[in-house]
Each structure stands twice: as C-alpha cells, then as structure tokens.
Amino acid sequence: MPKKFCNQCGVQNRKVAQFCDSCGVPLTPQARTISAVGTHSELPLPEFIRTLLGTRILATLPRFKSPGWRYQGKADIGCPDCKNAFEVFRKPYKTTKGDYEYWAIVCAKCGSCNGLDAMDTITTRALRKWADSVSRPVHVEISTAVSPQVASRKDPPPPPEASNGKIEEPAKQRVLRPKLSPTEEQMAIIEGAKSNTDIAIEALAGTGKTTTLKMLADSKLGLKGTYVAFNKSIVDEAKAKFPNSVHCSTAHGLAYQAVGRDYASRLHSTQRLSFKQIADWLEAGAFGFKSSISNHVLDPAQMAQHASATVRNFCKSIDPEISDQHVKMPAIIKAHSPNSKAFAKAVVPLAKKIWADLLLQQGFMKFNHDHYLKMWQLGKPTIGSDFILFDEAQDADPVMLDVVNSQSSSQLVYCGDQFQAIYEWRGAKNALTMVHVDEHLWLTQSFRFGPAIAEEANRFLKSLNSPKMVRGSEEVQSTVKRVPNPDAILSRTNAGVISAIMAEQSRGRSVSIIGRPEELIGFAEACQRLINGGRTGHPELAPFLNWDGVRDFVEENPDEAQEIKTMVKLVDAFGTKKLISSLHQVVPEKQADVVVSTAHRAKGREWDDVRLNGDFLHTDDMDWEDLRLAYVAVTRAKKTLDMTSWDTISPRVSNGQSDRGSTRTVKDRPPLSLDAKPQEAAPKGIASRVKRSNRPIEDWADRI
C-alpha cells in the first residue's frame, strides 16, 4: 500500500489521510513508493532522507552533508521522544588505522537525526546488535510522481482553522541536535579516563564541562558511575544528558537516601525556636569578661547562639568530634586571649549537648540537611561505583570531599575551574588544588563566547597566574561595548544590586533578581532600626549603636567601609521605605526585562548581553577572591560585555598616596599550584578586611 507524503512539508501521513496531519494542506493522490530493489542514492544525507522517507532533518554534522550513505533499514528500536522505530543509515570511511562507518540514526516521525555517539548506552548496544544481524545495506529504488516541496523555515504555512473556530497550532517536530565530535582536549580526557586512574579536569569558563563528562561516561560502557554536584539544578541537567548507567545526585541527596530519610519527621518539622528557648533547654548561663574598654556580659541567649554556631561549624568540617577549634570568637573577644579560652570552655559543652540531641530521631533542636550529611560522613560510607564524577570541585563541600576521597575502590574524576572558587568564605574547599591525582587535564576552548570576551577573561586569569588561557570560539560573535538594555546586570555587593534595581525600575524596566529579595529587604530593615535608635543583629550592621555611628564609620574609614558605603548613600538619598518598596516590585525572571544579581549568585548562569556594575574593586586593589569573582562575572556574557562602569573604577588612595603597596600587586602573587598542596593564601590588604555583604545566604532547596 503506498505511503502518503505531504508535498508542502514532506511529512509522512496516514495512508487514508486526505489532509496533512502537520500543515493541513490537501494531499495529492500521487505518492512516492519505496521498494527494496535497485541502487542506493548518492545524494547528501539530508536530501536522501527527505526523498526516501519524506522527512526533513536538520543536518548539523558536516559528515551528514556528503554523499555515499547507505540505507541500512528500519531497526526495531524506538525513538526515545516519540517511540517510532529508527531508520538507520551508514557510510563507510577509511583512516590510517582501519575501515570504519559513520552512523545516522533517523526518526521519520519527529525528524531527529543523530550519530551513534549521541545515543545512550542501552540504545547504542541495541543498534550495534541489530546492525550485526544485517549482512549488507538495503538497496532502494525511489519512485516519485511528485517531488517534495519543502516550505521555508521562516515562512511556514498558516495553520488550519478548526471546526470550533479556534486556531489549532500544528504539531511541532522536535529535532535533536547531533552530538559534536570531541575536540582534541576532550579526546585526551576520554583517553585519560580509560586508564582507570584518578584525574582532575581543569575546565575554564564555558568550555563544555558537562558535555565532556558525558563523553567520558559514554566511553565507560558496562561500568556503574556516580555523578555528584552541589547544586540541584546542575544535577537535573546532568540527569537529562548522562546514560542510565550513571546515577546523578547532589551530595545531600546521597546522604539523605542513606541517613536523612530516618530523620524525615524532624527535617520537615515547622518548629521554630528562639535562642532564649534554646538557652532555657541548655540551661546556659551568662559569660562575663573584661575587655580593654569595659566589662562585658554575653547573656544566656547569646551563649545559645554561639553554641548553635559551633555545631554548624563542626558539621562543615571533617573532624570526628566538637572541639575548641569549631568555636568562633565574638568580635569583642580577642583570639588566643585568656577570655577566648574561657569562652570556648563554656561553649563546647553546650554544643556537644545540641549535637547529642540531633543524633536522636526525635529531639528538641531544629534539624537541617547539614546534620544528616555530617552523620553520613562520620559513618565512612561506601558509594559503590566503578567511577565517580565530582563536578564543581573548586567549590567542594569539605564533608563530601572527604567522602569522595575515601572511595578507594572507585576511579575518581574531579572537574571544575579553580579560578571560579568563590565560596571559600562559607567553608568550601578548592579540591582541584588539594587532591592527589595521577593527571591534570585542561579544557580551554570556550563555546560560550568569542575572542573579545575571552580577552577580558584572560586579564584576570593572568593576574591569577593561570598557566592556561581561555580561547574564545571563532563561531561566536562577541564584543565588549556599552549596552543600553542588557539582559543581566552583575554587582559585587548587595548594595550594588539594590542600586541597579532602583536605576532600572526608574527607566520603566521590570526587574528580577537571582536569589531571595528577603535578604536585601532584611538589610534595609536593619538600617531602619538603626535610624530609629535601636540595635540590629544584622551581621553587617550589628557593631553599630545607631545610624550616626554608621555614617561616621563610612566617613572616617572609607576603605574598610567599601561594602556598606553604597547602601548608606542609598538610604540617605531615598530612605528605607523607598528601598523596600523597590525590592517588593521585583518580578519572576520570565517576566523581567533585566536580571540583577551579585556575581556570586550568577555563577553557572549565562546571558547574551551582560553589564558589570561599578561596585567592583580596581584591579590593583583585588585580592585572590576578588580576582576570581571578576573572572566569573565577565564570563557570564555570550555576545556583549558592558564594562563601561568598571572602566571608571579608580585605585584607592590614602593620604595622597596609592594604597596598593608592593605586597598587594598582582604580579607579585605566587602562581597557582596544580599539585596536591593547598593554594597559598593571598596577602591581606584592605580588600581582604572588607565585610562581604554580597555573599548570598544558603538556599537548601538546591541541595537535595
């Protein structure tokens, strides 16, 4: 029975159809027939498929556009998207190493066309097994009374009108992009992983890290793998790409399955405890001490707060028990003083009591995700995989890093960009400079941006003494210039974020922010409490007695007040009511004209056009962390990078002299090490003493 093909769009239709199921045009009674005799077509693959099957494909691989393809036949293997049986084409080619064949796996229903290397492991095995059962290619004779007429992609035919008067949208044909052939750097990584030795992959910004890890996983057929990342969104992306043989999870996800589910009732409890309630339960007393100024007393609630913080620090360490080193001294108690020893002696027993309660499946204290992760690590778990892919290793959680490093029976692959290590302030460890591996391999070819943006990124990589520079893609047109209406505006500080929000809203643009606006609203409310004459517990403003004290500090210490100076100006200019109102007007990202974010929160994201705010430090004033943050910021752009505001930043000046100093110039910094030794700490300067108001608060929804 002849098959019916649409002369307008080339889609195969039901044999009884009078109108095309896709575009709705009338079907001509003349139809193409296919028989398994005659000679094969010497057309390029896209034309061959369109003529043979009536299916239009998107040919993105260069090898698809050359003639010489043979039709292998219809394999009894379903397309993962529409379950239609695959049509298989193969083309022989020769190299100095032997004779091989290209594969084209085509679905005539959805129009997808992929190489064999784009299939998952199970499908690949099934296709190879099927191909082995086919002795030779199927020769076809193509008889067409009417040649297919393919409509323009830019001008599709109008959709048909349904009987109810409403316009029906035609069914969209999903076209899967074939997987690109690996680059030389990617091939080196794949070959390096085949040795089953531990390796570290240094992947500079936009260099296809996840794609490379997928290639690596695909090369390990028959082996069980585990992919681990800190962020849930990254894991979800990996799940859609990796073969079924690789289990993708966050660190907390692995720990939850092993330990956390036993504490589900405590974890999901809505209980909220004040520090006064905790102090009563702990039977905590006050701690008094004498400073250089006067006598001070920390009340029981404050002691309970410090005990809770001690447990939190313990849970972020790899230590087996709570000790003095997990106690963070209050600012009014000098480290290594008699007061500090007495304070730690008072706090540690309280912290141990809290931890003992947390170990119970039913207890008093509020239970969180870090608690079961720490319990899991203390139990010395075995992941049980042939290989482990540890992504974003530059921001490794010390607890999870300890778990991964202890997997002696698994091949360990660490992957990340050590120059994007911007979370050391919250306890993250740059695993790429710490782990003992057999080989360090690099990814330097960026697919995100072109040479112009790569040049800006390399300015900071050079300052960080990177042994490698990022290479921009010649296929991506990127520029560095002013952008009137950028897709994203990135700031160094929270105050800079608020300033950008108000500026864009005043221009009539809808604004979205990455993260929770409640954090910034809390900052503004803390300012208002000081203005009203009260005190605040906000970490940035807690030392001040009133708003006049904040103003005096900014005026007398302009360098150290760099982080809050912008916020003070905004409060004095607009008032906290206006600031809070602007923050309440932010919209979801899909509804926004522009996204505003700190550079910290923008990590892992990308936009076409990005503007950098003017609250970054001058290059000569940057310490290690600021240089890495700048590198992250400039590499978020794909097409256009706006550094107009940044170009106006001047070095800090004190008493008429540049405050840089020879010990803080970037050229004098030691090079970054790629061996097993930890990176040497950056020299301390003004920038290193600044409080980090731009650091985002924890978002546990991303952990599980």
Side-chain angles (χ1 to χ4, degrees):
M1 191 69 161
K3 301 176 182 180
K4 287 191 176 181
F5 299 84
C6 176
N7 296 330
Q8 181 72 20
C9 65
V11 170
Q12 177 181 325
N13 291 268
R14 298 165 296 164
K15 57 187 179 183
V16 296
Q18 299 297 315
F19 299 89
C20 179
D21 293 334
S22 178
C23 66
V25 303
L27 296 176
T28 171
Q30 299 171 309
R32 282 165 280 171
T33 59
I34 303 174
S35 61
V37 296
T39 58
H40 65 272
S41 174
E42 291 293 340
L43 296 171
L45 184 65
E47 184 65 24
F48 186 18
I49 294 174
R50 185 162 56 241
T51 306
L52 179 66
L53 304 175
T55 300
R56 184 175 62 189
I57 66 164
L58 180 63
T60 58
L61 291 181
R63 62 176 178 261
F64 285 177
K65 299 178 182 179
S66 60
W69 289 86
R70 273 65 169 172
Y71 178 52
Q72 194 74 19
K74 184 186 293 286
D76 190 20
I77 300 166
C79 171
D81 296 301
C82 62
K83 310 304 180 183
N84 188 58
F86 278 133
E87 310 275 356
V88 180
F89 297 78
R90 300 168 78 178
K91 177 186 175 182
Y93 69 98
K94 295 183 178 182
T95 69
T96 55
K97 297 182 179 180
D99 296 339
Y100 301 93
E101 282 186 316
Y102 290 128
W103 286 63
I105 317 301
V106 180
C107 176
K109 184 176 181 180
C110 66
S112 66
C113 181
N114 296 277
L116 187 66
D117 53 359
M119 301 291 106
D120 59 73
T121 304
I122 297 176
T123 304
T124 299
R125 290 177 178 174
L127 285 168
R128 290 190 180 279
K129 184 177 180 180
W130 170 83
D132 291 339
S133 66
V134 180
S135 59
R136 63 183 63 185
V138 178
H139 290 183
V140 300
E141 178 184 41
I142 305 169
S143 172
T144 79
V146 179
S147 300
Q149 299 176 358
V150 181
S152 171
R153 293 181 185 272
K154 296 183 180 179
D155 300 306
E161 186 173 347
S163 58
N164 58 7
K166 296 182 179 180
I167 301 297
E168 296 182 347
E169 294 290 336
K172 294 183 178 179
Q173 296 187 42
R174 181 170 179 248
V175 179
L176 299 179
R177 294 185 179 272
K179 180 182 176 182
L180 299 177
S181 300
T183 64
E184 292 184 4
E185 291 177 329
Q186 291 171 330
M187 282 301 305
I189 291 171
I190 295 171
E191 292 300 321
K194 290 181 179 179
S195 62
N196 290 325
T197 57
D198 298 341
I199 63 174
I201 303 172
E202 291 274 3
L204 299 179
T207 54
K209 170 171 59 67
T210 303
T211 300
T212 304
L213 291 178
K214 179 189 180 301
M215 292 177 177
L216 189 155
D218 289 339
S219 69
K220 292 184 170 293
L221 298 177
L223 299 178
K224 180 182 178 182
T226 297
Y227 171 90
V228 183
F230 185 80
N231 189 278
K232 186 179 179 182
S233 61
I234 297 176
V235 171
D236 290 341
E237 180 184 356
K239 287 180 179 179
K241 295 181 178 180
F242 280 73
N244 296 332
S245 57
V246 178
H247 175 62
C248 302
S249 175
T250 62
H252 286 84
L254 292 174
Y256 183 84
Q257 295 299 320
V259 177
R261 61 171 66 246
D262 296 334
Y263 295 84
S265 60
R266 294 191 67 173
L267 189 64
H268 300 136
S269 173
T270 58
Q271 177 190 26
R272 294 292 184 270
L273 298 171
S274 67
F275 286 119
K276 185 180 183 305
Q277 291 174 304
I278 297 174
D280 293 340
W281 175 75
L282 288 173
E283 298 179 348
F287 178 81
F289 63 97
K290 184 176 179 61
S291 70
S292 59
I293 301 176
S294 61
N295 293 325
H296 292 270
V297 175
L298 296 175
D299 61 37
Q302 291 174 310
M303 293 297 291
Q305 183 176 1
H306 286 291
S308 300
T310 299
V311 174
R312 186 165 58 251
N313 293 336
F314 165 67
C315 289
K316 292 184 177 296
S317 74
I318 63 173
D319 302 320
E321 59 183 21
I322 298 174
S323 64
D324 293 4
Q325 65 180 333
H326 303 121
V327 180
K328 183 179 180 180
M329 294 296 147
I332 52 180
I333 299 179
K334 293 184 178 181
H336 311 296
S337 67
N339 288 332
S340 68
K341 295 180 181 179
F343 180 73
K345 187 176 180 180
V347 170
V348 167
L350 301 177
K352 287 184 175 180
K353 184 176 180 179
I354 293 175
W355 180 245
D357 175 81
L358 292 170
L359 293 174
L360 304 175
Q361 293 188 12
Q362 300 293 331
F364 176 79
M365 292 295 298
K366 175 64 178 175
F367 194 90
N368 67 43
H369 300 272
D370 271 349
H371 297 149
Y372 66 73
L373 181 65
K374 180 62 180 177
M375 297 175 188
W376 185 54
Q377 177 253 336
L378 291 175
K380 301 186 181 302
T382 299
I383 295 179
S385 293
D386 297 308
F387 62 95
I388 298 174
L389 308 177
F390 193 25
D391 202 358
E392 299 293 333
Q394 79 282 347
D395 296 324
D397 182 285
V399 177
M400 188 60 201
L401 180 60
D402 181 69
V403 172
V404 172
N405 288 342
S406 64
Q407 305 303 308
S408 57
S409 60
S410 303
Q411 179 189 19
L412 305 181
V413 179
Y414 305 88
C415 188
D417 184 356
Q418 65 172 301
F419 307 108
Q420 294 191 53
I422 58 175
Y423 291 112
E424 292 179 344
W425 55 270
R426 71 179 182 190
K429 301 297 182 181
N430 189 352
L432 294 168
T433 61
M434 300 174 61
V435 296
H436 296 272
V437 295
D438 300 287
E439 193 173 9
H440 273 87
L441 299 168
W442 286 81
L443 290 173
T444 62
Q445 176 60 66
S446 180
F447 303 100
R448 178 181 299 161
F449 44 76
I453 295 177
E455 183 178 352
E456 292 295 330
N458 289 332
R459 288 173 52 193
F460 300 100
L461 288 176
K462 290 176 182 177
S463 297
L464 289 163
N465 293 311
S466 170
K468 301 280 189 178
M469 298 292 110
V470 66
R471 295 177 291 131
S473 173
E474 297 293 342
E475 298 180 359
V476 180
Q477 298 295 323
S478 63
T479 57
V480 180
K481 64 179 183 180
R482 184 178 181 275
V483 182
N485 298 303
D487 301 316
I489 300 175
L490 306 183
S491 299
R492 177 175 176 266
T493 65
N494 281 325
V497 169
I498 296 176
S499 176
I501 290 173
M502 296 186 67
E504 292 301 301
Q505 287 177 341
S506 67
R507 298 177 59 224
R509 303 188 80 197
S510 58
V511 180
S512 176
I513 64 173
I514 300 177
R516 299 188 296 179
E518 292 82 2
E519 179 187 2
L520 300 176
I521 292 173
F523 193 7
E525 291 175 340
C527 294
Q528 185 60 50
R529 284 193 287 272
L530 289 174
I531 293 173
N532 294 338
R535 297 289 299 273
T536 176
H538 193 282
E540 307 296 334
L541 302 173
F544 301 100
L545 299 176
N546 49 53
W547 187 245
D548 288 337
V550 179
R551 286 170 169 167
D552 293 341
F553 178 75
V554 171
E555 183 177 351
E556 297 170 5
N557 304 275
D559 291 335
E560 295 193 22
Q562 193 73 20
E563 298 291 337
I564 63 174
K565 181 168 64 177
T566 302
M567 192 64 185
V568 172
K569 291 182 178 179
L570 289 171
V571 170
D572 287 342
F574 301 100
T576 56
K577 185 177 180 180
K578 173 65 175 176
L579 297 181
I580 294 173
S581 175
S582 294
L583 291 169
H584 279 300
Q585 293 177 38
V586 298
V587 300
E589 187 168 344
K590 292 183 178 180
Q591 303 174 15
D593 298 320
V594 59
V595 176
V596 176
S597 173
T598 61
H600 277 99
R601 285 203 177 272
K603 185 174 175 292
R605 300 288 300 275
E606 61 182 26
W607 297 269
D608 285 344
D609 304 322
V610 175
R611 177 192 297 165
L612 303 184
N613 214 347
D615 61 341
F616 286 85
L617 297 178
H618 189 275
T619 306
D620 293 334
D621 291 318
M622 290 181 175
D623 61 11
W624 286 112
E625 185 176 353
D626 284 305
L627 284 167
R628 292 194 291 262
L629 190 65
Y631 166 66
V632 169
V634 301
T635 55
R636 298 311 93 194
K638 295 192 294 183
K639 295 181 179 180
T640 309
L641 174 64
D642 185 348
M643 300 186 68
T644 307
S645 298
W646 198 324
D647 292 339
T648 64
I649 300 173
S650 304
R652 296 173 181 173
V653 177
S654 179
N655 298 323
Q657 300 290 327
S658 174
D659 198 31
R660 289 180 288 175
S662 60
T663 61
R664 296 204 311 112
T665 55
V666 293
K667 66 180 181 180
D668 294 327
R669 295 189 176 101
L672 295 182
S673 173
L674 294 181
D675 58 20
K677 299 179 181 180
Q679 179 181 312
E680 182 178 341
K684 291 188 177 182
I686 293 174
S688 65
R689 298 196 300 269
V690 174
K691 296 183 177 71
R692 301 287 177 181
S693 64
N694 60 323
R695 295 168 178 170
I697 60 179
E698 301 287 348
D699 191 350
W700 291 107
D702 291 337
R703 299 283 190 96
I704 309 295

